[in-house]
Amino acid sequence: MADPDDPVAPAEPGLPAVGGGWPLIDGWARATLSPGGPKLWQTLLHRSACLSCAWGTGGQKGGFTDELGEPLQRCLKSVEAIGAELMPAVPEAAFAGRSLEELQALSSREADRLGRLAHPMILREGRSRYEPIGWDDVFEIAEAAFRVPPERLASYSSGRSSNEAAYLLQLLLRALGSNNLAACSDLCHAPSTVGLREIFGSGTSMVSLESLQQADCVVLVGSNAPANHPRLMNELIRLRERGGSVIVINPVLEVGLLKFGSPAFPIRSMLRGSEIASLFLQPIPGSDVAVFLGLQKALLEAGAVQRGFLAAHTEGWPEVLAQIEGTCWEAISACCGLSREELEHAGAVIARAKGVVFAWAMGITHHVNGVDNVQAIANTALLTGNAGRPGAGTMPIRGHSNVQGFGSMGVSVQLRADMQRALEELLGRPLSRVPGYDTRSLIEAADAGRVDTLLCLGGNLWGANPDSAEARRALGRIDTILYLATKPNQGHFHGLAARRTLVLPVFNRFETPHRTTVESGNNYVRFNEPGTTHLRQAQLIAEVSFLAELARRLLGTDPIDWGRLQDPVYVRELIARTVPGYAPIATIDATKQEFTVEGRVFDAPAFPTPSGRARLAPTPLPALVLPGPEHFGGLAPGEAGLVVSLITARSYGQHNTVVYKEGDSYRGMPHRQTILMNRADLRRAGLVPHQRVGVQGEAGTLEDIEIIPGDIREGAALMFYPEVNAIIRAPADPRCGTPAYKRVPVLVRGRPSSVAAQPPR
Ligand code: SF4
């Protein structure tokens, strides 16, 4: 109940005190007891990697087993993903039978719930409905669409598919002369890849699971692991139990980062939950460089900087030390909103630890200075000697299950020089040096009419982009778009091409009739056994088959026998020859030996840079200024409101743009038309909890949004992506093209509390 004297009441009833916990058991029980329960369990036990996050459970050791052979490592998120893949086929009436207008009215969840795609569909120019199409016609259209100048050809991919399909996709485009290989990582961890590669010469995690288990401190920044990487929570629980520390840095106080009940430890964790954060810091969104400069300053002043390590194994450190010394505490605290004492306390915890792993997710990368954020973390690891030894290092936490594998396979506009040379040797000719389009530049190029054909290997390009109207318009200027997908998504209904949009059904990972591989976020390559689909009389195709057949039609045997690439064993042979660190994949069919990609995990401080040393880089303090209401045209007379720094985020029960559950009980957000705000901001602005407001961004306004009071940094707010993409324009980090989804100025506007106070609903 609201306090009548203070409409912004201090407590929000009904919020769970523990993340994870019994709702997870309930979810497993419901899934198990459902009619699809037996098939679900059969799939869980299938020898293939989890479809969901890049922690990468499953594979040859069994569906529930991690790379160290530990059982019981499968989470509810995985069950949600498998359950969706086991849905029946989309009924004809639900897709071809619906008008475009009806399809466009579907929410993300409703689109997903239509079922599995089972037959190729096409939407032709001027028609208002998708219609079925045969595979022969699909290939004719695809072949003709690919016979365009290479710079007008592009692809986009999510990390859903296999290494083999990813490799073929980039090989085909590069052989045709196009480097336009946009990928979902452009929208998430590109700053990690760019930032880490500059400093360490390698753009991925340097920490293996084994190494993580030797750490006694984890600094977890900008990650909601309880929802997005649940199995990481088991490692944090164990770390706390062995006396280690977890420092969480996040503007939102997520309950699961305080306490988490893990079903993997039914006795000691499920009942009351396990402690996670030893220290929780809530900085201003976008101020991470200031937070880490503050930690560095605290470490320097405490004499905890490892000068011997720096001198022996790094370069660039004198400039970084000079920057730290030249940055005053006042500037640091003013930028990040944390006190000197808080930062000194956290610094002391890091200094005391024997091995620190610095882990982060998109709270770090989704900023205009995302690369600086990553490098500020890497600098801190190096200053404390926490890189290049077991139990320590930098660990970006990747999202989609094979997003990292796509990067390794060369599906990226940042192709490694050694892989470029190997591909040129394979193809017997130089690759194009024309810079390719990353995801944002693809949208801009399409909008400018410079793209004719787009092949999407999974994903929801429309939904993942900011400014939905711009994305729709841009995609609408492409002649032909081919979407290879297992299930429908909103992008298939809103991201429509000018002349032909094809939605082509493919096998998922556990159905694919041949063996495939994927790579986890910790560089572990898993080998997936073949499977079968439950869909009867479906016309699914394996992505490798589609791409190899398209390549054969376009290129024949020039300069390699593209038809032979129908055989994934041959694809793996080519991967072994051309992808750095992937040599063991050549024999994986015989050995079934999964492996860690060579040259990624550093157990010694020798780094793959030209000098063999890590290269620290100064990281400038960001200027964080929010505009006033006048930036948005001002508040109307009698209206209350304020400008806040909006964090766009996934809800619990959501995987990237796919929404499995509408509500988010852990944050007390009962539906998706909500905004999480700090109570002090509500008081300041004259707004009240549960009031309906308008939220105005630079690309539009969402009306009838319910305010949810919560534990979020003052001045910040949180709304759910992808819906909020409709109103935001997010500038991109110029060094990697990743949009700043986590610090978007928006104006929250509504009736003042004096007239808006009302009971919660
Ligand atoms: S932690 Fe990630 S990889 Fe492991 S079971 Fe859960 S969703 Fe799958």
Side-chain angles (χ1 to χ4, degrees):
M1 280 288 286
D3 177 347
D5 295 321
D6 179 4
V8 184
E12 189 67 6
L15 279 184
V18 173
W22 290 109
L24 304 184
I25 299 294
D26 183 53
W28 276 91
R30 282 171 196 266
T32 301
L33 298 174
S34 72
K39 180 68 183 163
L40 174 82
W41 274 91
Q42 191 187 337
T43 308
L44 283 165
L45 295 165
H46 185 256
R47 289 183 186 277
S48 56
C50 171
L51 300 171
S52 198
C53 92
W55 202 252
T57 309
Q60 283 300 302
K61 295 191 179 83
F64 279 78
T65 312
D66 70 19
E67 53 262 53
L68 299 178
E70 182 166 348
L72 283 184
Q73 300 292 309
R74 196 89 175 208
C75 74
L76 187 61
K77 191 174 163 71
S78 176
V79 171
E80 283 169 340
I82 293 172
E85 295 292 335
L86 293 177
M87 285 187 294
V90 181
E92 177 116 3
F95 204 132
R98 276 191 163 114
S99 70
L100 258 188
E101 207 175 310
E102 290 169 308
L103 290 171
Q104 287 170 347
L106 299 175
S107 67
S108 167
R109 183 169 188 278
E110 288 166 339
D112 187 69
R113 294 288 108 182
L114 288 177
R116 278 290 299 279
L117 294 166
H119 304 279
M121 310 286 283
I122 185 168
L123 179 72
R124 298 178 198 272
E125 185 178 10
R127 304 282 172 82
S128 62
R129 287 169 202 267
Y130 272 96
E131 55 197 76
I133 181 173
W135 278 112
D136 287 346
D137 293 337
V138 168
F139 278 111
E140 258 180 45
I141 289 173
E143 184 185 341
F146 267 65
R147 292 196 187 281
V148 294
E151 65 276 8
R152 302 187 66 81
L153 184 63
S155 72
Y156 171 77
S157 29
S158 77
R160 174 184 55 74
S161 191
S162 64
N163 284 336
E164 289 74 11
Y167 183 81
L168 268 185
L169 175 69
Q170 63 85 33
L171 195 64
L172 171 60
L173 262 81
R174 295 193 198 281
L176 290 169
S178 173
N179 288 321
N180 297 329
L181 285 145
C184 66
S185 60
D186 300 332
L187 304 178
C188 60
H189 266 297
S192 305
T193 306
V194 170
L196 293 177
R197 201 176 274 169
E198 283 178 9
I199 289 193
F200 296 113
S202 168
T204 68
S205 169
M206 67 170 74
V207 180
S208 64
L209 178 59
E210 200 175 2
S211 177
L212 175 63
Q213 292 180 348
Q214 295 172 49
D216 64 350
C217 178
V218 167
V219 180
L220 184 68
V221 203
S223 155
N224 187 17
N228 298 322
H229 306 89
R231 225 191 79 210
L232 170 59
M233 302 310 293
N234 294 347
E235 302 305 330
L236 300 182
I237 289 169
R238 277 198 272 239
L239 183 142
R240 289 299 312 273
E241 287 178 349
R242 60 178 183 265
S245 308
V246 177
I247 300 173
V248 180
I249 302 173
N250 200 333
V252 188
L253 199 132
E254 305 284 2
V255 62
L257 292 173
L258 290 173
K259 253 187 171 191
F260 188 79
S262 171
F265 311 122
I267 308 295
R268 62 187 210 257
S269 177
M270 271 304 293
L271 286 177
R272 293 214 302 263
S274 302
E275 302 287 338
I276 302 297
S278 336
L279 179 63
F280 205 119
L281 302 176
Q282 284 184 275
I284 291 168
S287 69
D288 305 279
V289 163
V291 174
F292 279 88
L293 270 175
L295 292 173
Q296 293 163 14
K297 197 169 181 69
L299 289 157
L300 185 64
E301 291 177 356
V305 165
Q306 302 295 310
R307 289 175 187 268
F309 177 90
L310 292 173
H313 305 298
T314 74
E315 52 199 22
W317 57 275
E319 292 84 346
V320 169
L321 289 189
Q323 189 205 0
I324 299 166
E325 281 164 350
T327 309
C328 67
W329 278 110
E330 290 72 24
I332 290 169
S333 287
C335 183
C336 69
L338 300 177
S339 68
R340 175 176 177 170
E341 291 69 31
E342 286 175 295
L343 291 164
E344 284 177 338
H345 181 55
V349 174
I350 293 170
R352 271 198 306 275
K354 293 189 185 68
V356 185
V357 168
F358 294 84
W360 66 91
M362 285 177 279
I364 278 293
T365 60
H366 278 170
H367 296 284
V368 283
N369 62 342
V371 174
D372 283 341
N373 286 343
V374 170
Q375 296 193 330
I377 295 174
N379 286 346
T380 312
L382 287 165
L383 289 165
T384 50
N386 279 299
R389 62 187 171 87
T394 48
M395 188 177 84
I397 312 170
R398 307 267 172 175
H400 211 326
S401 58
N402 195 32
V403 65
Q404 189 165 303
F406 268 68
S408 296
M409 294 301 115
V411 180
S412 168
V413 293
Q414 318 254 1
L415 185 64
R416 288 172 54 149
D418 46 2
M419 184 165 171
Q420 185 175 51
R421 280 193 296 275
L423 290 174
E424 288 179 336
E425 200 171 305
L426 174 72
L427 295 174
R429 57 184 180 229
L431 297 182
S432 164
R433 296 297 192 268
V434 177
Y437 298 138
D438 63 20
T439 302
R440 283 306 296 158
S441 53
L442 169 63
I443 292 293
E444 285 160 15
D447 208 15
R450 296 201 297 268
V451 180
D452 291 332
T453 302
L454 173 67
L455 173 73
C456 292
L457 196 62
N460 177 355
L461 178 59
W462 172 79
N465 265 280
D467 195 346
S468 311
E470 180 204 48
R472 181 184 292 112
R473 186 183 65 225
L475 295 172
R477 290 181 174 154
I478 298 174
D479 267 5
T480 305
I481 301 180
L482 302 106
Y483 289 112
L484 275 73
T486 64
K487 292 175 291 145
N489 66 50
Q490 286 179 306
H492 303 153
F493 310 142
H494 294 272
L496 302 174
R499 298 180 62 199
R500 304 167 210 90
T501 308
L502 293 98
V503 178
L504 308 175
V506 295
F507 292 106
N508 65 37
R509 184 169 303 154
F510 56 79
E511 295 170 336
T512 301
H514 55 76
R515 294 192 170 91
T516 59
T517 60
V518 292
E519 178 186 320
S520 81
N522 285 346
N523 310 296
Y524 194 72
V525 177
R526 295 193 179 274
F527 194 40
N528 307 307
E529 290 296 332
T532 54
T533 180
H534 64 289
L535 300 170
R536 300 285 159 241
Q537 292 162 349
Q539 295 174 298
L540 310 185
I541 197 166
E543 286 146 321
V544 164
S545 307
F546 179 86
L547 291 164
E549 172 58 13
L550 180 57
R552 187 196 64 75
R553 287 171 180 244
L554 290 162
L555 296 163
T557 54
D558 174 30
I560 52 175
D561 182 353
W562 293 89
R564 205 181 146 200
L565 289 164
Q566 288 281 353
D567 177 4
V569 179
Y570 180 50
V571 180
R572 286 191 274 279
E573 264 178 59
L574 298 190
I575 292 173
R577 278 166 57 188
T578 53
V579 177
Y582 259 76
I585 206 172
T587 52
I588 201 168
D589 290 84
T591 63
K592 304 231 168 143
Q593 198 64 52
E594 298 175 326
F595 62 93
T596 298
V597 182
E598 197 188 333
R600 304 269 186 88
V601 174
F602 303 139
D603 287 339
F607 303 100
T609 59
S611 65
R613 292 164 175 255
R615 300 170 292 212
L616 286 88
T619 51
L621 271 187
L624 302 178
V625 183
L626 279 179
E630 61 285 354
H631 179 78
F632 298 91
L635 293 166
E639 208 176 28
L642 81 169
V643 175
V644 289
S645 177
L646 185 71
I647 298 167
T648 76
R650 288 169 283 186
S651 64
Y652 289 75
Q654 177 175 349
H655 179 65
N656 296 340
T657 57
V658 181
V659 177
Y660 296 124
K661 282 194 203 118
E662 295 287 339
D664 184 336
S665 56
Y666 292 106
R667 293 180 177 130
M669 299 168 83
H671 55 89
R672 298 191 67 80
Q673 285 67 50
T674 47
I675 181 167
L676 190 75
M677 292 181 69
N678 182 288
R679 293 167 189 281
D681 286 329
L682 298 183
R683 283 191 198 95
R684 188 154 57 89
L687 299 168
V688 291
H690 306 290
Q691 175 181 352
R692 301 281 172 152
V693 289
V695 180
Q696 184 180 351
E698 295 199 357
T701 302
L702 286 170
E703 299 289 357
D704 203 25
I705 301 296
E706 181 179 356
I707 292 177
I708 305 295
D711 279 319
I712 184 167
R713 171 89 208 187
E714 201 174 331
L718 179 146
M719 288 179 78
F720 294 136
Y721 142 112
E723 292 88 340
V724 74
N725 282 349
I727 64 163
I728 65 169
R729 285 203 184 107
D733 184 333
R735 293 165 76 184
C736 59
T738 304
Y741 293 102
K742 295 285 191 282
R743 187 181 164 83
V744 185
V746 293
L747 174 62
V748 182
R749 57 197 313 159
R751 290 179 299 159
S753 56
S754 50
V755 288
Q758 53 189 277
R761 55 174 171 159

